[in-house]
Amino acid sequence: MSRSLANLFSQPSENIMSEIGKTAALMKNIINLSIGDPDMTTPAPILDAAKDSLTAGDTHYSASDGDPEYLKAIIDFYQNKFGIHYEMANVRATVGAGHATYLAFGAILNPGDEVIIFEPYFSPYKTEIEANGGKAVIVSCTAENSFQPTEAAIKAAISDKTKAILVNTPNNPTGAVYDQALLQTLADLAKEHDFYLIADEVYWPFVYGDHEFIPLEKLAPEHTLVAGSLSKVFAMTGFRIGYLAGPENVITAAGLLNEGITFSAPSTSQAAGTYALNHIDEFTPELQEEFGKRLNYVATELNKLPWLSILPVAGSIYLFADISGSGMDDVAFSNYLLEQVGVLVIPGRAFGAAGSGYVRIAVTQDMPTLEAAVNAFEKLTF
Ligand SMILES: Cc1ncc(COP(=O)(O)O)c(C=O)c1O
């Protein structure tokens, strides 16, 4: 057994997307609504900042915690946008938010520690928790409660091993935006039991209607670790740039862990990120408006179909559609949708059992493509 894999990876895990992905790869001209990657190219001035940094010969490692200009841009952004005060020692540059959550788990978890996650959830969380020796404790959310966890369910999941609760609002995949009362409950529970809140804020600007993004770090600053990202906010997914923010001792521990992982974040991406954060109001409102227009259009049109229903748009760049009225389960439905009319979506159970009966539709294509997708849905018969 000396060449065996880590226990975590020794059983082949079910990969719901793999079969459907293979079918999709063989088809031409499909409409791909499965990806969480904005279709827009990064705005030109941000690209120029990246090019300028390369031209100036900035092709070296940055300081391991991040280029001071980038860290300062994050600090200024939190101060100006949310009135939250961070010092340099409270922030570090990461290779996207995925890296930030991984470092956060690694910095705080001991074997057997529990992290509560709300299902449906962004699927990498569970592996990240387990790879860091923790145990994911699942709390299911339902459409009846707008895909927000109930206070009773959260309290029932808390044990003396609870080390953290992962909070992702606006939410991938459900589009839920957690309300003030829920966030206050989470903040109060974190203080009462002295556990962490890990706030995944990658979709923070994408809130619609009367929904508001309320940063958890404002309600429980000593208990909140923020996993932030420029990926969606500035259409910069390929730059792989984000940050981790929170109490100094956690940020220091994350730095120690990261010495042997990526050491630093890419210098070019930090230069681009500095420019982006320092000019946020020139870029993000446009993206916010565009995604809102798309979400509302697709939700309104698809809700006219008798076999499908979508909750009123709240936030993120996804719609989570209940397709149980089709008489099919979510995997069968997704295959049928692909094979009959060439539209690729993600079956809800890819985000955990609570997603069964739903599909996630990403509005990461332009309006003409989304119109074609709506027409395709309208052609389906059951
Ligand atoms: C909820 C959530 N968290 C984290 C990430 C990872 O983002 P990044 O590109 O910053 O690693 C994603 C990407 O889709 C996401 O949806």
Side-chain angles (χ1 to χ4, degrees):
M1 290 297 278
S2 57
R3 293 176 65 241
S4 62
L5 295 175
N7 290 344
L8 181 59
F9 304 108
S10 60
Q11 301 285 333
S13 61
E14 189 193 19
N15 189 340
I16 293 161
M17 281 311 290
S18 137
E19 285 309 308
I20 191 167
K22 276 186 215 153
T23 315
L26 297 174
M27 292 175 69
K28 287 209 172 75
N29 300 326
I30 64 159
I31 299 177
N32 190 345
L33 304 185
S34 76
I35 35 179
D37 187 349
D39 51 306
M40 306 84 171
T41 304
T42 308
I46 303 177
L47 297 179
D48 288 340
K51 290 179 208 160
D52 289 349
S53 136
L54 289 170
T55 307
D58 186 7
T59 56
H60 304 276
Y61 295 121
S62 73
S64 66
D65 54 344
D67 184 291
E69 283 186 35
Y70 178 63
L71 299 181
K72 180 156 184 323
I74 296 166
I75 291 168
D76 290 348
F77 156 68
Y78 270 90
Q79 187 66 57
N80 299 337
K81 197 56 94 189
F82 305 121
I84 291 168
H85 179 73
Y86 284 126
E87 300 282 345
M88 293 295 243
N90 297 122
V91 282
R92 75 169 291 118
T94 62
V95 185
H99 182 211
T101 46
Y102 186 90
L103 293 182
F105 292 133
I108 64 169
L109 293 180
N110 287 311
D113 281 351
E114 295 178 353
V115 180
I116 296 172
I117 53 177
F118 303 132
E119 192 185 75
Y121 57 84
F122 177 57
S123 39
Y125 296 148
K126 190 161 176 281
T127 311
E128 288 182 23
I129 293 164
E130 291 171 354
N132 282 295
K135 179 172 176 254
V137 174
I138 309 288
V139 168
S140 296
C141 303
T142 61
E144 288 66 45
N145 202 39
S146 306
F147 286 110
Q148 298 195 71
T150 64
E151 184 173 341
I154 300 167
K155 284 186 169 161
I158 294 172
S159 79
D160 56 7
K161 295 204 181 104
T162 304
K163 195 65 175 279
I165 299 185
L166 190 300
V167 183
N168 171 222
T169 178
N171 188 269
N172 174 14
T174 65
V177 177
Y178 293 0
D179 58 32
Q180 167 94 43
L182 170 58
L183 294 168
Q184 191 59 58
T185 299
L186 289 163
D188 292 345
L189 287 169
K191 290 177 196 170
E192 181 189 334
H193 298 273
D194 203 25
F195 52 63
Y196 291 102
L197 299 169
I198 300 179
D200 178 332
E201 300 186 346
V202 305
Y203 298 103
W204 72 264
F206 307 119
V207 288
Y208 301 103
D210 2 322
H211 296 276
E212 193 192 347
F213 169 71
I214 301 166
L216 258 181
E217 55 278 23
K218 196 150 195 168
L219 306 178
E222 295 302 318
H223 293 79
T224 304
L225 311 177
V226 179
S229 173
L230 279 65
S231 286
K232 325 283 170 159
V233 180
F234 299 101
M236 287 177 71
T237 48
F239 279 88
R240 310 305 304 124
I241 186 72
Y243 51 89
L244 177 68
E248 183 175 345
N249 63 338
V250 179
I251 300 301
T252 304
L256 294 173
L257 171 61
N258 197 47
E259 290 281 304
I261 303 180
T262 71
F263 179 71
S264 60
S267 303
T268 317
S269 303
Q270 293 187 67
T274 303
Y275 187 91
L277 286 165
N278 286 340
H279 298 82
I280 188 161
D281 291 333
E282 290 166 35
F283 308 119
T284 302
E286 206 176 306
L287 276 186
Q288 194 265 2
E289 192 185 324
E290 176 66 17
F291 281 120
K293 199 168 81 182
R294 295 178 184 184
L295 289 169
N296 280 308
Y297 164 73
V298 177
T300 306
E301 294 307 312
L302 293 190
N303 263 332
K304 291 177 185 162
L305 300 170
W307 48 267
L308 180 151
S309 87
I310 299 175
L311 291 176
V313 168
S316 85
I317 57 175
Y318 310 103
L319 297 167
F320 209 51
D322 179 349
I323 48 78
S324 53
S326 68
M328 292 181 170
D329 72 31
D330 47 306
V331 174
F333 174 86
S334 301
N335 279 311
Y336 184 70
L337 181 70
L338 181 64
E339 280 156 17
Q340 295 294 312
V341 292
V343 177
L344 180 64
V345 295
I346 299 194
R349 71 187 61 187
F351 308 97
S356 301
Y358 292 82
V359 294
R360 191 193 75 172
I361 301 168
V363 294
T364 49
Q365 299 286 359
D366 61 15
M367 278 301 273
T369 310
L370 293 175
E371 280 161 17
V374 166
N375 290 339
F377 268 81
E378 286 165 350
K379 290 200 187 89
L380 292 179
T381 49
F382 298 100

